[in-house]
Amino acid sequence: MTSPPGTAPSSPTTVSPAKVWSALAIVYVVWGSTYLAIRVTVETMPPLLSAAARFAIAATVLAVVLTVRKGGAAALRLRPREFGSAALVGVLLLGGGNGLVVLAESGPPGKAVPSGMAALLIATVPLLIVVFRAVAGDRPAPATVGGVLIGFVGLGLLTLPAGGVPAVPVGGALTLITASASWAFGSVLSARLPMPRDPFVASVYEMIAGALLLGAAGLGRGEERGLDLGAVSTRSWVALAYLALAGSVVAFTAYAWLLQNAPISLAATYAYVNPVVAVLLGALLLAEAVTVRVLVGGLVIVVGVAVVVTVERPRRAPDSDQP
């Protein structure tokens, strides 16, 4: 999934509440379920090459739709600085952010991070965005700082060993924290760089850049060696198609529509609803363990994110933290 560039949306217009809640339901469920879909995809597919395929497919579909609806390829033209900005943001969001999430969720049992846990750790993205903004000279409100501190307490509960046993594999936890930092840094940059005015056009080039980086990294890891497409399970193919079409096209479109037609405070609630959806789906469909420690740590992170989103909402919605 990609996130729209950090430009302020126009003022919401009066629209049907049913349409608003339908779009919210799509964002909640689809983005929340992408962590589960990633875990199913990497069961029989190489992680980075499958992620590259996901964004290549999504970019192609979105580019075709934009070309048809806007009267030709001219709709995709960008100035060189806009192209460079979109490519850099795509590398950070999708190459670094999503790619590392996929790596963290891949691997044998005991080393791979469960999908629900991955979602909880990635939920720290809005918190890290505040940290990067502060480093850049912004002065967050005291309540925002409080929300960040609350969220980091929850992060500690999930990642620090208790009784000598961490709740998450250490390597996977560090990978996801790095993924969150990459996504947060890309989100901050997207608000400061000369991005394309149309978020859908920006998304096409972000996905292309992300796909190229992920593909190159996958080949560099030798993921193509021994790859037998005939051995890929049907459920992995279905999960990949779901990620490309539902996660990266449909849900992104719904979120971009919400930014233009609903209060930012409402659209931004995805940031603390998605992890809850991911944990529930992981437990129900993949039998992922949900311990008391995971519940407490996850709840603390969600509370911290909710505080940050609530305090910051008059400015803008936080950029997407969906993989």
Side-chain angles (χ1 to χ4, degrees):
M1 186 236 54
T2 57
S3 67
T7 53
S10 58
S11 300
T13 57
T14 303
V15 295
S16 165
K19 290 183 178 180
V20 171
W21 284 103
S22 295
L24 272 175
I26 291 172
V27 173
Y28 287 167
V29 176
V30 175
W31 276 357
S33 65
T34 53
Y35 297 90
L36 173 73
I38 288 172
R39 188 71 187 93
V40 173
T41 299
V42 300
E43 286 177 345
T44 58
M45 286 186 177
L48 297 184
L49 291 182
S50 65
R54 167 191 177 181
F55 292 115
I57 294 169
T60 301
V61 171
L62 190 54
V64 170
V65 171
L66 290 173
T67 299
V68 171
R69 293 192 63 182
K70 297 197 174 185
L76 299 176
R77 290 177 185 167
L78 297 180
R79 292 175 297 179
R81 291 186 64 193
E82 292 176 336
F83 174 80
S85 297
L88 175 59
V89 170
V91 163
L92 290 168
L93 295 184
L94 306 180
N98 185 269
L100 292 174
V101 171
V102 176
L103 282 179
E105 288 196 49
S106 63
K111 292 187 177 181
V113 178
S115 62
M117 289 292 297
L120 290 173
L121 292 175
I122 293 298
T124 59
V125 165
L127 312 180
L128 292 173
I129 288 175
V130 173
V131 172
F132 282 126
R133 280 177 34 211
V135 170
D138 194 6
R139 292 186 178 181
T144 298
V145 175
V148 170
L149 294 177
I150 291 171
F152 284 155
V153 169
L155 178 63
L157 290 173
L158 292 181
T159 57
L160 296 178
V165 181
V168 187
V170 175
L174 292 176
T175 299
L176 287 168
I177 292 170
T178 305
S180 297
S182 181
W183 196 285
F185 187 54
S187 298
V188 171
L189 280 184
S190 73
R192 298 169 183 267
L193 294 174
M195 297 292 292
R197 294 174 62 87
D198 188 330
F200 298 104
V201 173
S203 185
V204 168
Y205 290 101
E206 289 173 13
M207 288 191 284
I208 291 173
L212 290 174
L213 177 62
L214 290 166
L219 294 175
R221 296 178 77 236
E223 291 185 356
E224 80 285 359
R225 291 195 292 268
L227 174 61
D228 180 6
L229 294 181
V232 176
S233 68
T234 299
R235 68 188 236 148
S236 286
W237 283 118
V238 172
L240 178 62
Y242 180 82
L243 286 169
L245 301 178
S248 295
V249 176
V250 175
F252 168 72
T253 303
Y255 182 67
W257 182 86
L258 281 169
L259 289 180
Q260 299 296 329
N261 294 279
I264 290 177
S265 57
L266 187 61
T269 55
Y270 81 89
Y272 45 91
V273 174
N274 285 169
V276 176
V277 172
V279 170
L280 290 175
L281 290 177
L284 292 174
L285 300 181
L286 295 180
E288 294 179 350
V290 182
T291 65
V292 173
R293 183 178 173 189
V294 169
L295 286 174
V296 173
L299 178 61
V300 173
I301 288 177
V302 169
V303 169
V305 172
V307 171
V308 170
V309 169
T310 301
V311 174
E312 293 292 296
R313 67 190 182 191
R315 299 183 184 185
R316 49 170 296 199
D319 293 276
S320 166
D321 63 351
Q322 153 62 26

